[in-house]
Amino acid sequence: MPTGNTDKKVRRTRKRRTIVCTNCKKRKTKCNKELPCNKCIKFNDVDTCMYVVPKDSRANSVPGDENVYVTANNGMAINPAVRTAFPSPYGVNGMVGQSPHLSYGMAETPGGLQRQILSVASNTSTPRPMESVPADIVNFIPWGHYIETKRSATTFFSIFCDVSMEQRDPYLRSMIRFRSIAIKRTMNKFQETTRKKGINPNLPNSFIPMSTFDRDDIENNKKQDKTAGNFSRFHKHMFEKFANYRKAMKLKLSDEEYLTNIFLPDKDIFFNEIVPIFSTHILSMIPFLNMNMLKHEIEALYEQVEKKQKINIKKFDHMVYSIVLLITVLVQLSIKFQKGSLSLFEKILSLDTTKYIGIVNHFLFQMKVLRKCSLLQLYCLLLVRFYHWCAPEDGDGTEAQQNRILMGTIISSAKEMGINWSCFSNEKYFFKVANGTRPALGIMKPKEYMDTFKSIWAMILFWDRKMGFINGQESFIARTFPVDPALLINSSSWYMRVMYIDSLLLKINNMIIDDPSNIDINILETHYQRLCNEFMNLRASSTTTPFQFSNPLDFEFEWMLDLFKLSITQAKMMSYETSLNIVKYHESAQQLWDQIILIAQKCYIYFYDANKLNINPFNRFFTNRIVEIVANKLCVLTPCFILRFSRMNQSYETRKLVCKFLFSVSSMYFNEFSADYYRCFRKMFTAKLSYKIMDRPADRDPWEIILRFLVSELKERRESGADDDPDAEDTPLKELVPLVDKLSRAYDNEASLRVCNDFVKRWNEEIYPICKFDAKFRINFREDIMKLFQDDKYPKGLNLFASFYDNTSFKFSESIDRSIKHKNGVVHVQGIIPRLPAGIVGASPTFDSASMSTSSDHSTAGAATANGSPRLPGFTANETAYNDLFSGPIGNLDMLDDIFDPLDFISYFN
C-alpha cells in the first residue's frame, strides 16, 4: 500500500502556550491578554496584572532569564509605541545596571566620595513576582498612633513625621522627655525675667524658651566671647524677621481698604521682568497655568485699576490680583535662593512683598471658596499650596503636614468643577461658557479648558501621593485609573508622565495606611523596588543625562524615594526590636545606618558641590524643601544609634566618631538653612540640646544619665502623687515613658538613688530584653566615610550650630535656692536638696569648631578626689566633695548640671 497519501493526511500539531495574566489564571477567568487586562481593570488589580512569558517562547524571550515578568507597572509594555516612550530599565539579565540612588555617585567630590557612595548603596534588582515573596509582617506603630491636643489644634501625626519616629523608639522618646523637662525646669527659674520683658507678641509660644535663654545675661556672655555679639545680632534679626512675617500674615483691613489699597507691582516690571523669569524657570513646576489666558486677564486688571483705582470683586478682579501677587512672590524667592548676583534683579527685589500673602489669604478665605469655586480661584489655591511648600517661613510646618486642610479644599474644589479621573476617560465633556465668565469663551476654548483640567488633575494627584511618601499621610484621592500610556507620550507636563505609575504609588500608600500594625514588609519593599525602576524608566525617557537634574521634579522624586526608604527602614527596625526578632533587627539596624550615610553624602554634594548636579539655580528655592526635610531626618535618627552604644560591642572612639558625625551633619543642615527657613531655625534650639546630651565623655553613657534622671523624676512624682493628680492639666510623665516608669518601680525600696549604678543593666535585662542579645553585635558604621565629614566647612567662629546655645549662662547655673548661704567657703543648706553654686563650677570653655567637642576629651569623672576618696561617676571633684557633705538623695537639677556641664545655653538678646 502506497505511503505517500497517508503522509499527506498527517497534520503536525502546533505547540504553543496559552498566555494569560497570573491574576486571571488564579481566578480562572477569561483574559483578553492586554496589559492591563480587562478583568484586572474590573477587579482593581491593575498594578498586579502580570504575564509570565516562558523562556522557550522565542517571540518574547530574554537571554539569561528563565522567565520574563511583564507587568503593568514595570515599564515592559507590550505596545511598541509605549515601549519607545518608556524604555525598560532592565538589562539582559533582568537587572538594573545602576540604582536611582547612585545619581550623585557620578559627581566628583573631595576624598573620592563617589566611590564611597557606590560601596554603600546596593543595586536595584528586578522585582520578584508577588507569589514568590514570603510574608514578613511588621508593625509600624508598636506604641499606637500619636495624637497631640493643645490650645490651638488637635493633631494626628502621620507615621513618618519626626514626632512619630521619635515616639516609635523608646530611646528617642525618653531623650525627648528628658530634654523637655530640662527646658521646663530652667524656664521656671527664668519665670520672673520672662514676665517682666515678655516676648514678641507676633511669635508663637514655642519661641518662649528660645528667647528666654537667649536674652538672659547677654552682656556677660559678650564679655566672655567677642563673637557672641555678632551671633546675638543675627539671632535677634531672625526673631524679628519671623515675627514681622507673622504680623504681615495677620494683616487686617476693612473690606473697602483691601479693594482700594492696591499693591500691584509696576506693570512694566511685571510683564518685562517678572513674567519672563516665571515662564522660564518656574512654570514647568506648575504647568497647569495657561499663560496666554493669564496675560490677557492681567492686562485687563491693570487697565481696570488704572481707570477706577479699585478692584471689582463681582468681575473676579481680586482673583487675578492674587495671582499677580503670588507670581511676584515666587519670582522673588527664585532670585533670592539662586546664590548668584542679585544686581541684575534690583527692580524685582526692591518690591515690598511682605503684605502679599496676607492679602491673598483675605481674598481666598474671606470669600465663598468653601461653597463654590472658579478656575481662577483654583489657580490661586494651587499657587498658595505651591508657595507654602517652597516658602522659607511657616510653610507646611515642622512636620510637613500643616497644609492637609488646604489640600483637601483644593481636591474638593477641583472635583466640584469636574476635574477628576473622568478627564482621562473616554467620556465626553460639554462646556457651556456663560457671559461674564473669566476666562471668557473668546480667550479660552473648550479644548483649552479640557487640557487645563487634565494638567490640574495630574499635579493635584502627584502632590497627594507625594505627601504620603514624605510623611506617611493618607492619600485624599482613594482610587486610580488606568490611563492609556500612549496619551502621555507627547505630554510636556512631568506630572502627566508620572500618572503612568499612579496605581503603584497608591498601592504603596494603601499598604502603610490600611493596617500599619500589620504590614508585609517584603511586599512593600518589592513595590518600592518597582517604583525605583519606574523612576529610572521615566528619567531615561527624558533628554537629560542620567546623572544630572535639569528638571527639579526629577530631583525631588529621587530624594522622596530616599526619604521613604529611610522611613520604612526605621519603622521595621523598631518593629523587629520590640518583637525580639534579633537577626532581622540587627540586619535592619545596619540597613538604616547605611541609608543615613548615603543620604548624608548626597546632602554633602548638594550643599558643597551642587554645580556638578546641573540643577538650575533658579529652582533651588524648590529643591531646598525636600533636601531640608531629608537632612533633618539625619539629625533626628542619628541619636538613636548613640543611645544604644551601651548595648553594642563598639568602642568609645567609634561613639565619639558618630557624635562628631552628628555634629557635622547638624552644622551642615543648620548653617545652610537656618538663616532662611523658619522651621529649621526653630529646630536648632532642641537639636543643640540633643547633641549636648549625646556628646558625653568615655565614662558617661548618655543613656545611663537619661535613665537615672527619669527614674529619679518618676520616683519623686510617684511619692508626691503628682502623676496621679486627677486635676492635672498635662498627660503624666509615667504615660509618656511607660517603660522607664516600669524601671523606676524597681527602685521604690531604694532610700537613695545616689548609690545605684545598675540602671542600664536593669533596663537591658528586665525592661528591654533584646538588649541581652546585642553584646556581640557590631554595626559597620562606615568609619572611613564618616571621616569625610570631619573637616569643618565653616570658618572658625562662624559656625551657627556650634556657636548658638554653647556658652554658659551664669544665671542658668545658679539654681541653688536663696536659703543656701556661703559661710567661710562652706555651703550650708536649710531644708533643700544641695546644688553646687555656679561660682564653684565656673563657665564652660568657649567652643572651638576645630575640636568638634568641648567635653569628650576632657573627662575627669571616675578619678579620685583631692582627699583620695573615689569620685562618683559623672561628677567633678568639687561637686563630689560638695555633695559628700550631705546624705540626702541627689537632686535632678544636679543631674542637669552634670550632663550640660552645667546646662550649656547662651544668651543672645538684649
Side-chain angles (χ1 to χ4, degrees):
M1 186 165 65
T3 59
N5 293 335
T6 305
D7 291 339
K8 290 181 181 180
K9 293 181 181 179
V10 176
R11 293 184 178 181
R12 179 178 296 177
T13 303
R14 193 166 138 200
K15 295 182 179 180
R16 63 180 180 182
R17 295 175 182 267
T18 301
I19 303 299
V20 297
C21 80
T22 55
N23 290 336
C24 286
K25 188 174 182 180
K26 291 178 182 178
R27 290 190 297 258
K28 297 184 178 180
T29 56
K30 186 175 181 180
C31 180
N32 67 353
K33 304 177 184 179
E34 293 185 359
L35 188 63
C37 72
N38 56 343
K39 297 298 183 183
C40 285
I41 294 175
K42 179 179 179 181
F43 294 109
N44 197 25
D45 290 330
V46 173
D47 55 330
T48 58
C49 185
M50 177 186 298
Y51 294 85
V52 180
V53 184
K55 181 179 178 181
D56 59 0
S57 180
R58 295 185 178 182
N60 295 288
S61 63
V62 174
D65 195 4
E66 181 178 355
N67 293 317
V68 178
Y69 300 100
V70 184
T71 74
N73 281 319
N74 70 2
M76 300 183 66
I78 293 176
N79 188 331
V82 176
R83 190 189 303 268
T84 302
F86 300 106
S88 172
Y90 302 102
V92 294
N93 293 321
M95 297 290 290
V96 177
Q98 188 72 275
S99 168
H101 305 292
L102 303 185
S103 300
Y104 286 110
M106 306 307 292
E108 291 296 328
T109 55
L113 186 56
Q114 70 279 7
R115 294 190 298 274
Q116 301 290 355
I117 295 178
L118 291 172
S119 70
V120 174
S122 59
N123 287 336
T124 304
S125 60
T126 305
R128 295 173 290 179
M130 291 296 108
E131 55 267 25
S132 70
V133 180
D136 184 7
I137 306 301
V138 298
N139 183 0
F140 276 17
I141 50 169
W143 307 99
H145 288 293
Y146 188 77
I147 298 176
E148 180 182 70
T149 63
K150 53 184 182 180
R151 178 185 56 80
S152 59
T154 297
T155 305
F156 174 90
F157 288 97
S158 303
I159 60 176
F160 294 150
C161 65
D162 293 354
V163 171
S164 295
M165 284 183 163
E166 291 164 346
Q167 295 301 315
R168 192 180 295 131
D169 185 342
Y171 286 83
L172 292 179
R173 194 175 187 179
S174 300
M175 184 194 72
I176 300 303
R177 289 303 110 208
F178 167 77
R179 191 180 67 194
S180 65
I181 294 172
I183 295 172
K184 186 175 181 180
R185 288 289 180 89
T186 308
M187 284 299 300
N188 290 338
K189 288 190 285 184
F190 291 146
Q191 209 168 28
E192 183 177 349
T193 303
T194 305
R195 281 199 302 266
K196 287 181 179 179
K197 296 186 178 181
I199 65 167
N200 192 312
N202 294 310
L203 290 173
N205 290 335
S206 58
F207 269 74
I208 293 178
M210 298 171 64
S211 59
T212 302
F213 289 132
D214 285 348
R215 185 173 50 214
D216 175 62
D217 205 18
I218 177 63
E219 294 301 328
N220 189 43
N221 281 280
K222 286 181 180 179
K223 293 177 182 178
Q224 295 182 53
D225 183 2
K226 295 181 180 180
T227 63
N230 295 330
F231 284 113
S232 69
R233 285 188 291 273
F234 173 77
H235 216 178
K236 186 175 182 179
H237 167 72
M238 295 299 295
F239 270 68
E240 292 174 349
K241 172 184 172 182
F242 295 128
N244 291 336
Y245 168 76
R246 290 172 63 89
K247 182 179 179 180
M249 289 285 288
K250 299 174 183 177
L251 177 68
K252 291 184 179 180
L253 302 173
S254 66
D255 291 342
E256 185 65 21
E257 287 177 311
Y258 275 110
L259 301 179
T260 55
N261 293 352
I262 310 302
F263 291 89
L264 279 174
D266 180 80
K267 182 178 179 181
D268 289 337
I269 294 177
F270 183 79
F271 280 104
N272 297 331
E273 300 195 32
I274 294 176
V275 170
I277 294 176
F278 181 82
S279 301
T280 304
H281 302 296
I282 303 176
L283 184 60
S284 62
M285 294 183 283
I286 41 178
F288 60 86
L289 293 175
N290 185 321
M291 289 305 294
N292 291 329
M293 177 272 289
L294 273 182
K295 288 178 182 179
H296 178 274
E297 298 296 339
I298 294 170
E299 286 274 10
L301 172 68
Y302 274 98
E303 291 177 7
Q304 166 73 16
V305 172
E306 186 176 350
K307 291 179 181 179
K308 305 288 187 181
Q309 298 297 315
K310 189 175 181 179
I311 289 176
N312 191 329
I313 289 183
K314 290 185 177 180
K315 293 184 178 180
F316 271 70
D317 284 345
H318 61 297
M319 287 294 103
V320 182
Y321 176 34
S322 297
I323 291 172
V324 171
L325 300 184
L326 287 165
I327 288 176
T328 303
V329 171
L330 290 173
V331 169
Q332 272 198 350
L333 285 179
S334 177
I335 294 171
K336 289 177 180 178
F337 284 94
Q338 49 94 20
K339 292 189 174 181
S341 174
L342 302 179
S343 59
L344 299 176
F345 311 103
E346 290 180 356
K347 292 182 179 179
I348 299 176
L349 296 176
S350 65
L351 296 172
D352 182 7
T353 60
T354 54
K355 296 182 175 64
Y356 282 15
I357 302 302
I359 294 171
V360 171
N361 287 339
H362 169 80
F363 283 129
L364 269 179
F365 302 110
Q366 298 298 321
M367 303 301 169
K368 298 179 180 179
V369 70
L370 298 180
R371 292 179 54 198
K372 52 188 178 180
C373 191
S374 68
L375 181 59
L376 292 177
Q377 282 177 307
L378 187 57
Y379 270 13
C380 283
L381 287 170
L382 287 166
L383 285 172
V384 167
R385 180 68 186 91
F386 183 78
Y387 169 78
H388 282 316
W389 178 253
C390 308
E393 294 88 8
D394 283 57
D396 284 349
T398 55
E399 302 297 339
Q401 65 175 50
Q402 289 184 6
N403 267 303
R404 292 195 67 189
I405 296 175
L406 175 59
M407 198 65 200
T409 302
I410 291 172
I411 294 173
S412 300
S413 300
K415 289 185 175 181
E416 176 66 18
M417 296 169 61
I419 302 175
N420 50 43
W421 278 115
S422 299
C423 297
F424 293 90
S425 68
N426 295 324
E427 301 168 5
K428 294 182 179 180
Y429 274 54
F430 177 81
F431 287 83
K432 180 185 180 300
V433 183
N435 184 27
T437 302
R438 297 186 73 171
L441 183 60
I443 305 301
M444 197 166 174
K445 302 299 182 183
K447 184 182 182 305
E448 293 176 289
Y449 266 102
M450 200 66 221
D451 291 341
T452 300
F453 279 19
K454 289 181 179 179
S455 184
I456 290 175
W457 183 249
M459 180 175 174
I460 289 175
L461 186 68
F462 177 73
W463 277 69
D464 184 43
R465 307 295 190 234
K466 176 176 76 172
M467 298 313 299
F469 278 76
I470 289 176
N471 59 26
Q473 69 187 41
E474 182 177 1
S475 291
F476 283 101
I477 304 171
R479 72 184 185 97
T480 188
F481 185 82
V483 180
D484 184 359
L487 298 176
L488 311 178
I489 294 175
N490 299 319
S491 174
S492 60
S493 169
W494 183 91
Y495 298 104
M496 296 272 282
R497 295 166 63 79
V498 172
M499 291 178 68
Y500 176 68
I501 55 174
D502 179 72
S503 61
L504 186 54
L505 294 171
L506 181 61
K507 185 75 172 180
I508 292 174
N509 184 259
N510 287 341
M511 281 198 68
I512 64 176
I513 293 300
D514 288 349
D515 191 1
S517 61
N518 189 38
I519 295 176
D520 191 328
I521 192 65
N522 284 341
I523 293 180
L524 179 61
E525 290 179 338
T526 299
H527 285 317
Y528 168 80
Q529 209 66 55
R530 285 178 175 166
L531 186 60
C532 292
N533 293 346
E534 285 304 331
F535 170 67
M536 291 186 66
N537 196 12
L538 290 170
R539 288 202 62 198
S541 65
S542 67
T543 57
T544 60
T545 56
F547 304 106
Q548 293 185 330
F549 298 93
S550 60
N551 190 334
L553 297 171
D554 278 339
F555 177 91
E556 182 187 59
F557 198 100
E558 176 175 306
W559 282 68
M560 180 189 79
L561 292 177
D562 282 323
L563 176 60
F564 184 74
K565 182 177 181 180
L566 184 76
S567 300
I568 64 174
T569 304
Q570 191 260 354
K572 74 174 182 179
M573 183 190 84
M574 294 313 309
S575 177
Y576 292 143
E577 186 178 65
T578 54
S579 62
L580 297 180
N581 193 329
I582 303 163
V583 174
K584 290 189 175 180
Y585 162 69
H586 291 166
E587 178 184 296
S588 58
Q590 184 66 62
Q591 291 173 355
L592 179 60
W593 182 255
D594 285 348
Q595 188 67 7
I596 287 175
I597 288 291
L598 178 64
I599 289 175
Q601 294 170 97
K602 296 179 76 168
C603 291
Y604 182 100
I605 297 174
Y606 181 80
F607 291 133
Y608 306 136
D609 207 9
N611 61 308
K612 299 291 181 66
L613 304 178
N614 196 34
I615 298 175
N616 181 348
F618 287 90
N619 294 150
R620 286 185 71 93
F621 80 103
F622 177 80
T623 58
N624 278 354
R625 178 52 169 148
I626 188 66
V627 175
E628 186 268 322
I629 294 174
V630 174
N632 171 65
K633 288 292 191 289
L634 302 179
C635 302
V636 171
L637 294 179
T638 301
C640 79
F641 288 92
I642 300 174
L643 291 172
R644 285 171 167 80
F645 257 84
S646 61
R647 293 165 42 177
M648 298 182 292
N649 184 23
Q650 310 274 175
S651 67
Y652 166 70
E653 291 302 319
T654 303
R655 191 185 92 187
K656 182 178 177 181
L657 190 61
V658 176
C659 285
K660 289 184 177 181
F661 173 78
L662 173 61
F663 176 86
S664 297
V665 296
S666 299
S667 297
M668 181 170 60
Y669 172 57
F670 290 107
N671 278 280
E672 295 297 326
F673 285 144
S674 64
D676 297 307
Y677 290 90
Y678 166 90
R679 51 190 169 267
C680 180
F681 173 73
R682 67 181 296 181
K683 290 176 185 175
M684 187 161 54
F685 176 67
T686 52
K688 187 61 181 286
L689 295 187
S690 296
Y691 167 69
K692 286 291 184 180
I693 296 170
M694 298 300 103
D695 188 31
R696 296 296 91 207
D699 52 0
R700 298 188 191 180
D701 176 17
W703 180 236
E704 193 273 340
I705 296 173
I706 291 172
L707 284 180
R708 179 185 289 272
F709 177 90
L710 291 177
V711 166
S712 177
E713 184 74 15
L714 286 161
K715 188 172 184 291
E716 179 184 330
R717 293 191 182 196
R718 194 160 48 248
E719 291 172 351
S720 66
D723 270 0
D724 297 319
D725 184 1
D727 298 325
E729 297 181 354
D730 295 331
T731 301
L733 180 63
K734 65 180 182 181
E735 295 180 15
L736 296 174
V737 284
L739 293 181
V740 182
D741 179 63
K742 182 179 179 181
L743 174 66
S744 72
R745 296 180 184 277
Y747 295 92
D748 280 346
N749 296 326
E750 298 287 348
S752 173
L753 296 180
R754 180 193 299 277
V755 296
C756 299
N757 294 307
D758 60 345
F759 296 99
V760 174
K761 181 180 179 182
R762 283 194 173 185
W763 169 270
N764 292 345
E765 295 180 354
E766 302 173 15
I767 308 301
Y768 218 56
I770 195 172
C771 305
K772 294 185 293 185
F773 303 99
D774 282 350
K776 296 183 179 180
F777 174 52
R778 293 177 61 88
I779 289 181
N780 182 353
F781 279 103
R782 315 288 181 182
E783 296 183 18
D784 53 337
I785 301 178
M786 281 199 292
K787 290 178 182 178
L788 297 173
F789 291 86
Q790 302 311 305
D791 294 334
D792 194 355
K793 289 290 183 179
Y794 307 96
K796 185 174 181 180
L798 296 180
N799 187 327
L800 298 180
F801 180 73
S803 300
F804 281 150
Y805 309 110
D806 201 73
N807 294 325
T808 302
S809 171
F810 286 125
K811 187 177 293 186
F812 189 77
S813 299
E814 296 170 349
S815 59
I816 194 166
D817 191 271
R818 291 183 180 179
S819 58
I820 297 182
K821 299 178 181 179
H822 296 265
K823 191 178 293 185
N824 297 326
V826 180
V827 181
H828 298 269
V829 179
Q830 300 175 0
I832 65 165
I833 297 175
R835 296 190 68 257
L836 184 63
I840 298 179
V841 178
S844 64
T846 302
F847 189 90
D848 181 357
S849 60
S851 70
M852 296 287 187
S853 174
T854 58
S855 60
S856 298
D857 296 327
H858 307 289
S859 174
T860 56
T865 60
N867 58 10
S869 60
R871 185 175 305 158
L872 292 176
F875 291 87
T876 64
N878 286 335
E879 281 183 292
T880 305
Y882 173 75
N883 286 322
D884 282 344
L885 298 174
F886 311 98
S887 58
I890 180 173
N892 279 349
L893 287 173
D894 294 279
M895 296 184 189
L896 296 183
D897 269 353
D898 174 55
I899 192 169
F900 290 114
D901 288 332
L903 285 173
D904 300 297
F905 300 103
I906 192 169
S907 303
Y908 287 98
F909 290 103
N910 289 317

